[in-house]
């Protein structure tokens, strides 16, 4: 199956509605997708309805920012249905943590002289998961910076002048809650993890014992060597090597649905392997 297992919509910080994301998947010739918004399942039912209409297989997902022994990483959890459940119920706390953190970021920007309010930020968010990307959009709309990326570069990046951390699950909690909800946890884009490659082999081995289900080997940020290295690593740990474009809308980042920057090759069995690991 031709698939893309990492897509964002307006339910979090993507630029396109869940329906539009499905349409783009069809245009890209895909027949399976997963929607993986940050900390929310609010886009799932619309995406599934749209996928059903056009005959695209669909997996509900979510992307979490987690902490593993002081190291930050992102985790995708597949097979999480909207409604209540062990992981589902914690997502509300995570979004609450975002709200408190957004307030601190906006206050610190105001203290630096930026004329920006939470109302300005909310104008750029259409879903329930509001974060730094929307604050960046508000700064751009006010003319302080040219692009979302520039706003990150100057103010909002991890450790930046207006950065505050937010509530995170540990990787262990995310795996346990995800599995308890019937889901399949997958380490997202290992490239962004600030560990040397030998240390992440060790981290992934430990997480595999706890119930990790896969590694996102194929991501636009990974060069070909890293993709094949991560595939081998996944295989060696009996994990699924997954892949996705991390599409956020063309206006936000230049990754395209299904192909990333053009050279993304998501393994043909990845969708099926993830789907069959969901309980
Ligand atoms: P938040 O969820 O509020 O912590 O924001 C994290 C999201 O912001 C990430 O998932 C990306 O979509 C985006 N992001 C993080 N770092 C950067 C960066 N340096 N440049 C552009 N976007 C970023
Ligand atoms: Zn995002
Ligand atoms: Fe991510
Ligand atoms: Fe993502």
């Amino acid at each position: 199956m031709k698939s893309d297992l990492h897509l964002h919509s307006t339910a979090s910080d993507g630029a396109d509605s869940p329906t539009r994301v499905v349409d783009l998947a069809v245009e890209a010739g895909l027949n399976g997708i997963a929607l993986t918004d940050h900390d929310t399942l609010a886009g799932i039912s619309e995406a599934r309805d749209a996928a059903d209409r056009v005959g695209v297989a669909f997996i509900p997902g979510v992307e979490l920012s987690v902490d593993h022994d002081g190291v930050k990483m992102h985790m995708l959890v597949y097979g999480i249905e909207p409604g209540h459940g062990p992981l589902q119920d914690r997502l509300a706390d995570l979004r609450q943590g975002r709200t408190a953190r957004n307030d601190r970021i906006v206050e610190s920007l105001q203290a630096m002289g930026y004329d920006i309010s939470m109302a300005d930020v909310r104008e750029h968010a259409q879903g329930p998961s509001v974060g730094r990307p929307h604050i960046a959009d508000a700064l751009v709309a006010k003319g302080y910076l040219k692009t979302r990326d520039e706003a990150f570069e100057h103010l909002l990046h991890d450790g930046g002048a207006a950065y505050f951390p937010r509530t995170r699950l540990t990787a262990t909690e995310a795996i346990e809650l995800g599995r308890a909800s019937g889901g399949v946890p997958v380490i997202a884009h290992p490239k962004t993890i600030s560990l040397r490659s030998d240390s992440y082999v060790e981290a992934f081995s430990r997480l595999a014992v706890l119930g990790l289900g896969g590694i996102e080997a194929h991501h636009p940020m990974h060069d070909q060597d890293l993709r094949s290295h991560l595939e081998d690593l996944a295989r060696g740990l009996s994990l699924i090597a997954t892949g996705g474009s991390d599409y956020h809308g063309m206006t936000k980042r230049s990754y395209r649905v299904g192909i990333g920057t053009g050279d993304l090759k998501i393994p043909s069995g990845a969708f099926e392997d993830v789907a069959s690991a969901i309980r």
Side-chain angles (χ1 to χ4, degrees):
M1 187 175 280
K2 281 194 74 175
S3 71
D4 189 329
L5 294 167
H6 191 157
L7 299 164
H8 293 273
S9 76
T10 45
S12 65
D13 58 350
D16 296 324
S17 70
T19 302
R20 174 80 184 131
V21 172
V22 171
D23 291 342
L24 291 168
V26 172
E27 282 173 30
L30 307 184
N31 32 35
I33 61 159
L35 187 71
T36 55
D37 277 306
H38 303 276
D39 298 341
T40 181
L41 300 165
I44 297 299
S45 91
E46 181 186 327
R48 178 182 274 134
D49 288 350
D52 286 351
R53 277 197 300 275
V54 294
V56 167
F58 181 75
I59 292 174
V62 65
E63 182 171 17
L64 306 170
S65 303
V66 304
D67 178 284
H68 180 59
D69 294 343
V71 177
K72 290 182 203 161
M73 50 181 85
H74 285 187
M75 198 172 287
L76 298 158
V77 190
Y78 294 107
I80 303 300
E81 294 291 342
H84 285 284
L87 178 59
Q88 289 89 332
D89 294 348
R90 288 298 287 278
L91 297 178
D93 301 336
L94 298 175
R95 290 193 302 270
Q96 177 54 41
R98 285 181 170 279
T99 306
R101 179 244 212 157
N102 290 338
D103 289 342
R104 296 181 74 185
I105 293 179
V106 167
E107 278 167 27
S108 86
L109 288 169
Q110 288 167 349
M112 285 182 242
Y114 293 93
D115 174 21
I116 184 178
S117 67
M118 265 321 291
D120 298 326
V121 174
R122 273 190 295 269
E123 271 181 39
H124 296 273
Q126 291 164 69
S129 182
V130 183
R132 286 180 290 166
H134 307 104
I135 300 173
D137 291 346
L139 288 166
V140 171
K142 292 243 164 180
Y144 290 119
L145 294 141
K146 285 201 185 64
T147 63
R148 197 185 250 198
D149 280 352
E150 238 180 58
F152 268 91
E153 208 178 294
H154 288 274
L155 293 161
L156 297 169
H157 66 269
D158 291 18
Y163 177 78
F164 288 91
R166 66 186 165 88
T167 323
R168 286 170 178 263
L169 296 175
T170 65
T172 307
E173 285 173 320
I175 290 171
E176 285 171 356
L177 291 165
R179 287 290 184 186
S181 293
V184 181
V186 172
I187 300 278
H189 45 68
K191 169 87 181 174
T192 62
I193 304 175
S194 54
L195 277 179
R196 299 212 338 251
S197 76
D198 49 339
S199 329
Y200 68 60
V201 174
E202 191 197 308
F204 297 168
S205 313
R206 278 176 50 206
L207 295 173
V209 174
L210 298 173
L212 183 70
I215 297 173
E216 188 180 52
H218 300 270
H219 185 279
M221 282 183 78
H222 298 170
D223 63 24
Q224 298 298 343
D225 281 353
L226 182 57
R227 292 176 199 178
S228 51
H229 170 69
L230 291 168
E231 270 226 37
D232 292 345
L233 182 57
R235 196 176 302 118
L237 294 168
S238 300
L239 299 172
I240 305 167
T242 72
S245 65
D246 211 352
Y247 180 73
H248 278 77
M250 289 311 294
T251 53
K252 308 296 179 192
R253 246 189 233 177
S254 55
Y255 300 158
R256 290 172 172 277
V257 175
I259 56 168
T261 55
D263 66 352
L264 191 66
K265 286 197 191 62
I266 297 156
S268 61
F271 183 97
E272 291 88 336
D273 289 348
V274 171
S276 59
I278 295 168
R279 290 180 195 282

